Amino acid sequence: MQADLLLPLFSRKPRRYQAIYYILTGKRTVSNLLAGLTYDLLPYFHFYPKLPQADYQAALQQLMSQQYLKVQSETKTIRLTALGQLAQVQLLQRQIWPQSYDYWRDGDWQLQWERLLLSVQVISNYQHQQRHYSPLATQPLVQAEIRQWFYRSGRRQQHQFVKDLIATVIGLPKDLADLLANSLRSNAYAGTSDFQLGLDLNLTADELSLKRIAALSQFMHAITFLPQQSPLRQVFPAAPSPLSRGAEHTYTLWQAGQPWSTIVQNSYQKEGTLLEHLLEAAILVPDFNFESLPLQQLIAVNPESYFAQRLSEIQAQRRKND
């Protein structure tokens, strides 16, 4: 990967570089999520899900050799040098890094991109009576979703889909609108290759990918202003709960007012795991109630426990971020 594109992930204050790797690849633990909250990197959770550890380490080594980063081996942290801060500012000024992206709001950008590509392809080929073609989406999940969407509404509302798509794209900033429009494919338009787009925009392949995510993120935000019944909006499922399945179950019971002792007794999991579910909710649920009486009673059982200490850290960090 292009090493300098990692610079926005670091700060002049030391950060745990391994935690950042786990955030990027989507490793969901309380420790990693709390690091993401502390570093203001939670939106980039699962941003590079297939990033090899070796590639990440090689990029860090390159940035250190360029004197952009300085490592502290004892604490396993890295911070930006003065030279690195300057390089970071210059990179952000190029508006390549997708600063408005939010995994928890926009969803997995790779799946969303495939949904957009395939829905455009399906509508276009249907209008041109093309029935045999290779789908642009490689994920079976996306293929199944778009198939169901097309037979449910896309076929009947194809003209509205095109109208909404055009209106949404031209409403984006011009550079992002041009990039998005030239990245799409249809029966009548083969699109522009990534190689040619990179040449036209003076971007490397990695920079082009980030710029496209920035365009997709703003596109995803723009479609929320379309009517709920818009066929374009229906291509993209509503953002699921940010919680993992286990945490969602525990938190739902907790929110329903079940006593903690009952939740523990009826669960097949250890109490420590259930407490971590609450910590996950405290990090990820926007309206988590830190002052509720049941939670305060749970803390009072052992104010010095791992749970109580972590909860205090999370609350303090969320107040700071707000």
Side-chain angles (χ1 to χ4, degrees):
M1 75 177 310
Q2 188 174 324
D4 65 326
L5 297 182
L6 292 179
L7 287 173
L9 302 170
F10 295 96
S11 166
R12 58 188 178 85
K13 295 181 179 179
R15 291 181 172 181
R16 292 188 293 124
Y17 52 84
Q18 197 60 22
I20 291 177
Y21 174 75
Y22 289 141
I23 292 166
L24 293 176
T25 53
K27 186 174 182 180
R28 188 191 287 261
T29 65
V30 168
S31 177
N32 293 329
L33 292 174
L34 180 53
L37 180 68
T38 303
Y39 303 155
D40 199 22
L41 294 178
L42 265 185
Y44 300 99
F45 184 82
H46 203 260
F47 194 67
Y48 285 128
K50 298 179 181 178
L51 177 62
Q53 174 83 256
D55 289 0
Y56 176 73
Q57 292 292 343
L60 294 186
Q61 289 295 330
Q62 181 178 333
L63 293 172
M64 285 187 284
S65 69
Q66 294 174 292
Q67 299 183 357
Y68 288 162
L69 293 177
K70 186 173 183 180
V71 66
Q72 291 198 321
S73 303
E74 303 81 12
T75 57
K76 297 183 178 181
T77 58
I78 278 182
R79 64 173 178 83
L80 284 172
T81 63
L83 194 60
Q85 292 175 56
L86 178 60
Q88 183 192 69
V89 169
Q90 292 173 338
L91 176 67
L92 293 176
Q93 286 176 341
R94 294 177 62 198
Q95 298 183 336
I96 294 171
W97 186 261
Q99 297 185 60
S100 64
Y101 174 80
D102 187 344
Y103 169 82
W104 312 100
R105 180 197 66 207
D106 301 333
D108 184 331
W109 68 263
Q110 292 175 314
L111 293 180
Q112 301 293 46
W113 180 244
E114 288 205 352
R115 289 182 180 108
L116 177 59
L117 285 180
L118 186 56
S119 61
V120 170
Q121 182 188 32
V122 166
I123 290 293
S124 175
N125 285 339
Y126 181 78
Q127 289 186 340
H128 291 85
Q129 299 181 352
Q130 295 290 330
R131 297 187 178 183
H132 302 288
Y133 52 89
S134 297
L136 292 174
T138 59
Q139 294 287 340
L141 169 65
V142 173
Q143 293 180 10
E145 287 177 346
I146 298 302
R147 185 182 300 111
Q148 293 172 4
W149 161 81
F150 178 69
Y151 286 113
R152 184 178 65 249
S153 62
R155 180 167 52 182
R156 291 183 289 102
Q157 301 187 56
Q158 53 184 300
H159 297 295
Q160 186 63 45
F161 173 89
V162 174
K163 181 179 178 181
D164 289 347
L165 177 64
I166 293 173
T168 303
V169 172
I170 64 176
L172 300 178
K174 187 177 184 306
D175 60 332
L176 299 184
D178 289 345
L179 174 58
L180 200 63
N182 283 288
S183 299
L184 300 176
R185 311 285 190 270
S186 70
N187 180 272
Y189 175 62
T192 305
S193 70
D194 285 359
F195 177 75
Q196 187 60 51
L197 276 174
L199 288 179
D200 293 344
L201 299 173
N202 194 28
L203 298 174
T204 67
D206 287 340
E207 290 170 350
L208 178 64
S209 178
L210 284 184
K211 188 80 171 180
R212 185 174 282 145
I213 298 170
L216 178 65
S217 174
Q218 294 207 28
F219 176 87
M220 293 295 300
H221 178 67
I223 65 173
T224 62
F225 295 98
L226 294 173
Q228 190 69 45
Q229 67 273 19
S230 163
L232 176 60
R233 184 170 180 178
Q234 291 177 9
V235 167
F236 305 95
S241 166
L243 301 179
S244 60
R245 182 176 299 180
E248 174 72 14
H249 179 69
T250 302
Y251 186 62
T252 298
L253 296 176
W254 175 260
Q255 283 289 87
Q258 280 202 21
W260 182 249
S261 58
T262 303
I263 295 175
V264 174
Q265 183 178 357
N266 294 337
S267 176
Y268 61 90
Q269 295 177 303
K270 296 179 180 179
E271 183 175 10
T273 302
L274 300 177
L275 289 171
E276 291 216 346
H277 289 167
L278 288 188
L279 292 176
E280 182 179 329
I283 295 171
L284 297 177
V285 175
D287 58 352
F288 185 88
N289 186 0
F290 288 91
E291 308 302 331
S292 72
L293 180 58
L295 188 63
Q296 295 305 313
Q297 291 173 336
L298 194 56
I299 294 171
V301 173
N302 186 354
E304 303 302 319
S305 67
Y306 170 87
F307 172 75
Q309 294 300 316
R310 283 296 201 192
L311 193 65
S312 177
E313 290 178 45
I314 294 167
Q315 184 177 19
Q317 191 58 51
R318 287 192 57 169
R319 283 175 174 169
K320 182 178 179 181
N321 290 357
D322 292 342

